[in-house]
Amino acid sequence: MSDWPELSVAQDHETLSILHLAAQMLGKLRVAHAPWMNHGWHVALQPNARGLSTLPTAASGGRTFTLTLDLCRHAVVLWISDGGREEVPLNAGSIAALHGRLIDILDTHGLPSSFNGRPSEIPDAVDFAADDKPRNYNRDSATRFREAIAAMLPAFQNFRAGFSGKASPIHFWWGAFDLAVSRFSGRTAPPHPGGMPGLPDRIAREAYSHEVASAGFWAGGVTEAEPFFYSYIYPEPDRYRATKVLHGRFDETFGEYVLPYAEVREATDPVRMLNEFFGSAYAAGANLARWDRDALEREPVAP
């Protein structure tokens, strides 16, 4: 077995739920206070050595600031370009308490603090300020989650490096709580049907305005489900679901190819297995959709 950490619903669900909702607060602040960029890339969190962070956000007085889900300090850490620094422990006791303390530290430093207070992409969501149910934050669960993201990043970097066409950064989508990287054919796509809980259809349609193939990792978050890797293409070409993909299977519920995290963790070479899954699933969709693969792809350049 590899040295990848174990992740499971039984051990980690409550802590991943807290991280999911905390990540939404950080991302929603960017929605409210940063200019819109294509496909919403500006609101996604960025993986780093300590956890997940926002891009810099402009504030008054020529300042900028970032917010980090710091899974080494187990806190939301505020960094300000004038040298200021504050943090809110993630074991605040409830989502309402975490939400209130985050707004307090932003207000204390004269930083933007208003954002949509209702979680997105979560059915029957409770407003952050009203979610006062006691929650237990487990440092070990958060540490293993951070270590898992670090372990899988080389496969995501390889997938991104093998594409010379338009492609996204490797980033973390706080709505669904997933790490993802996307490749684009360069052609426009038919309008997305929308219908995602708590997500305006106009946002979904802008996100999927062009043909896209994505590779990702879904950690579950507030959803009680075992984590898995995934791959999909939009729009879905004919015969896509019947195509054989290395290591993965098509999941009709999610509408994408999936590979359980536990299976990758148990492999002799998890990164190789993940590279093969991402590459095979992408090729299946790109071939059927007649992407110009010769023009769009390249061999990753080794460091």
Side-chain angles (χ1 to χ4, degrees), residues 86-105:
E86 296 277 0
E87 61 182 62
V88 176
L90 285 162
N91 63 345
S94 71
I95 296 302
L98 179 61
H99 174 261
R101 293 183 67 180
L102 174 61
I103 290 175
D104 285 346
I105 66 168

Side-chain angles (χ1 to χ4, degrees), residues 144-168:
R144 285 185 284 101
F145 174 66
R146 175 179 54 79
E147 291 173 346
I149 296 295
M152 67 183 68
L153 272 178
F156 282 82
Q157 291 166 346
N158 183 74
F159 186 75
R160 174 62 184 85
F163 204 71
S164 56
K166 173 184 169 181
S168 75

Side-chain angles (χ1 to χ4, degrees), residues 155-226:
F156 282 82
Q157 291 166 346
N158 183 74
F159 186 75
R160 174 62 184 85
F163 204 71
S164 56
K166 173 184 169 181
S168 75
I170 301 164
H171 46 204
F172 196 88
W173 290 109
W174 42 266
F177 203 61
D178 61 325
L179 185 72
V181 60
S182 299
R183 296 174 168 184
F184 293 81
S185 74
R187 303 184 302 228
T188 57
H192 192 276
M196 298 180 181
L199 187 69
D201 289 349
R202 61 182 174 80
I203 302 298
R205 287 174 184 146
E206 199 277 336
Y208 291 94
S209 60
H210 289 69
E211 292 182 346
V212 59
S214 292
F217 167 70
W218 184 58
V222 301
T223 302
E224 291 193 59
E226 297 295 341

Side-chain angles (χ1 to χ4, degrees), residues 3-299:
D3 58 359
W4 283 33
E6 182 181 6
L7 295 176
S8 70
V9 170
Q11 294 183 86
D12 307 319
H13 172 65
E14 189 163 20
T15 296
L16 293 182
S17 294
I18 294 170
L19 294 179
H20 189 172
L21 294 168
Q24 291 224 0
M25 296 179 208
L26 273 55
K28 284 174 172 288
L29 194 74
R30 290 281 297 165
V31 173
H33 300 287
W36 190 266
M37 295 182 185
N38 57 318
H39 312 303
W41 290 347
H42 66 301
V43 305
L45 303 183
Q46 315 299 309
N48 62 30
R50 304 189 66 86
L52 301 165
S53 182
T54 66
L55 291 168
T57 302
S60 61
R63 298 175 299 165
T64 60
F65 68 97
T66 61
L67 288 162
T68 299
L69 278 181
D70 190 321
L71 304 183
C72 296
R73 294 192 62 82
H74 301 284
V76 176
V77 180
L78 166 66
W79 297 91
I80 312 171
S81 60
D82 62 10
R85 178 186 171 280
E86 296 277 0
E87 61 182 62
V88 176
L90 285 162
N91 63 345
S94 71
I95 296 302
L98 179 61
H99 174 261
R101 293 183 67 180
L102 174 61
I103 290 175
D104 285 346
I105 66 168
L106 292 168
D107 286 342
T108 296
H109 289 274
L111 300 172
S113 63
S114 60
F115 55 88
N116 187 307
R118 192 171 188 81
S120 298
E121 300 183 50
I122 298 173
D124 305 316
V126 177
D127 287 1
F128 300 123
D131 191 346
D132 56 5
K133 178 180 71 174
R135 295 178 187 255
N136 296 314
Y137 177 85
N138 184 288
R139 288 184 169 221
D140 179 64
S141 292
T143 296
R144 285 185 284 101
F145 174 66
R146 175 179 54 79
E147 291 173 346
I149 296 295
M152 67 183 68
L153 272 178
F156 282 82
Q157 291 166 346
N158 183 74
F159 186 75
R160 174 62 184 85
F163 204 71
S164 56
K166 173 184 169 181
S168 75
I170 301 164
H171 46 204
F172 196 88
W173 290 109
W174 42 266
F177 203 61
D178 61 325
L179 185 72
V181 60
S182 299
R183 296 174 168 184
F184 293 81
S185 74
R187 303 184 302 228
T188 57
H192 192 276
M196 298 180 181
L199 187 69
D201 289 349
R202 61 182 174 80
I203 302 298
R205 287 174 184 146
E206 199 277 336
Y208 291 94
S209 60
H210 289 69
E211 292 182 346
V212 59
S214 292
F217 167 70
W218 184 58
V222 301
T223 302
E224 291 193 59
E226 297 295 341
F228 60 75
F229 296 95
Y230 66 79
S231 179
Y232 68 83
I233 189 169
Y234 178 82
E236 183 183 311
D238 292 340
R239 306 188 309 280
Y240 176 63
R241 300 186 178 204
T243 306
K244 296 294 184 183
V245 166
L246 287 176
H247 310 299
R249 63 176 179 81
F250 194 86
D251 187 287
E252 294 288 345
T253 300
F254 290 98
E256 56 198 18
Y257 283 94
V258 302
L259 172 61
Y261 174 85
E263 291 185 22
V264 178
R265 176 178 177 258
E266 291 168 0
T268 303
D269 188 341
V271 170
R272 179 177 178 179
M273 184 181 192
L274 200 48
N275 283 336
E276 291 173 349
F277 170 63
F278 285 162
S280 174
Y282 160 75
N287 287 337
L288 289 171
R290 300 185 181 278
W291 284 26
D292 187 353
R293 294 185 61 194
D294 289 339
L296 294 170
E297 298 171 28
R298 66 181 180 189
E299 282 297 316

